[in-house]
Amino acid sequence: MSDISAVGIVTPSDWVALPIEPSDDVRSWSKTTAVELRDRSQAEGYDIDKTTLRKDLRSRAEDSRSRKPFYAFALYPDGFDFALATLEVDLIHPDETVPEITLDWLAETFSADDFGPPMISHTDLPIGPAVRIRQNFASGARSRRRPGILMETLTYGVVPTGAESALMMLMSWTVPGVSEEMETAADSIAETLTVDL
């Protein structure tokens, strides 16, 4: 058994990589990326607000950066000035409290029953055995006037063949009515995960 030294992932072109390193200039990145995304949408016949888009980009990047994932992406289809979903990839390493990471441990640790029991299934990805967890959470209320909202998630926990650590991929969204599309996208992206040991 060895540790994971590198992780790879392939996302469709409407997923934007978020700057999550402490040295990244999020403010400058959000301005530049907002122009690029606005121009891409305009080429497809959509008129979107660059300021709203810039603020959303910055907010998504800062939110993901606070969790320190290995990778983070946000979904910006043409015509949208806000992200439809966020995707993060991270590593979970064994330690004194969890000397061996198993699929059962991942399923138990990363599932909750905020809105009924999670849907948990086991599957095989090209990099190894995985647990797939589909669940919903109550996203925290911002104020009395702005109550919490439903956050839908799909998590893959993978124990790559020959690795000690686990690879976690979490997709989340709050836009109603897109669950089927988001699940299909997450399933497809999970198939592209690669690791180097």
Side-chain angles (χ1 to χ4, degrees):
M1 297 289 253
S2 59
D3 209 0
I4 296 170
S5 61
V7 176
I9 187 171
V10 178
T11 59
S13 61
D14 50 2
W15 286 89
V16 176
L18 301 175
I20 53 174
E21 295 300 321
S23 60
D24 290 335
D25 183 351
V26 174
R27 184 182 301 251
S28 176
W29 169 85
S30 64
K31 288 179 182 177
T32 303
T33 305
V35 170
E36 292 171 0
L37 293 177
R38 184 204 57 201
D39 292 350
R40 187 186 78 187
S41 280
Q42 284 180 337
E44 295 298 320
Y46 299 102
D47 185 26
I48 60 174
D49 183 58
K50 183 178 69 169
T51 302
T52 301
L53 181 57
R54 178 179 49 79
K55 288 178 181 176
D56 192 70
L57 283 160
R58 186 172 176 187
S59 173
R60 298 285 177 160
E62 289 173 348
D63 180 55
S64 282
R65 179 187 276 195
S66 72
R67 287 183 291 279
K68 302 178 181 176
F70 203 81
Y71 292 120
F73 302 88
L75 175 60
Y76 288 94
D78 290 336
F80 285 83
D81 56 11
F82 62 92
L84 290 187
T86 301
L87 180 126
E88 294 178 352
V89 176
D90 210 351
L91 295 174
I92 306 294
H93 303 285
D95 59 22
E96 299 80 30
T97 58
V98 185
E100 181 183 1
I101 297 177
T102 65
L103 295 181
D104 288 340
W105 180 84
L106 292 172
E108 182 180 329
T109 303
F110 292 93
S111 62
D113 57 358
D114 287 14
F115 290 98
M119 293 180 283
I120 300 173
S121 60
H122 290 260
T123 187
D124 287 313
L125 293 176
I127 61 170
V131 61
R132 181 185 189 272
I133 308 165
R134 174 68 175 89
Q135 59 194 334
N136 298 329
F137 294 97
S139 182
R142 297 181 191 175
S143 69
R144 289 184 179 192
R145 291 184 176 171
R146 297 184 71 183
I149 55 174
L150 177 69
M151 181 184 339
E152 300 185 63
T153 67
L154 179 55
T155 304
Y156 273 91
V158 191
V159 180
T161 303
E164 295 176 352
S165 299
L167 184 65
M168 301 300 297
M169 186 190 94
L170 168 68
M171 183 184 290
S172 61
W173 63 95
T174 57
V175 177
V178 297
S179 298
E180 188 174 326
E181 293 85 351
M182 293 299 101
E183 288 191 49
T184 299
D187 292 340
S188 177
I189 293 170
E191 291 285 335
T192 74
L193 291 167
T194 59
V195 293
D196 292 335
L197 302 179

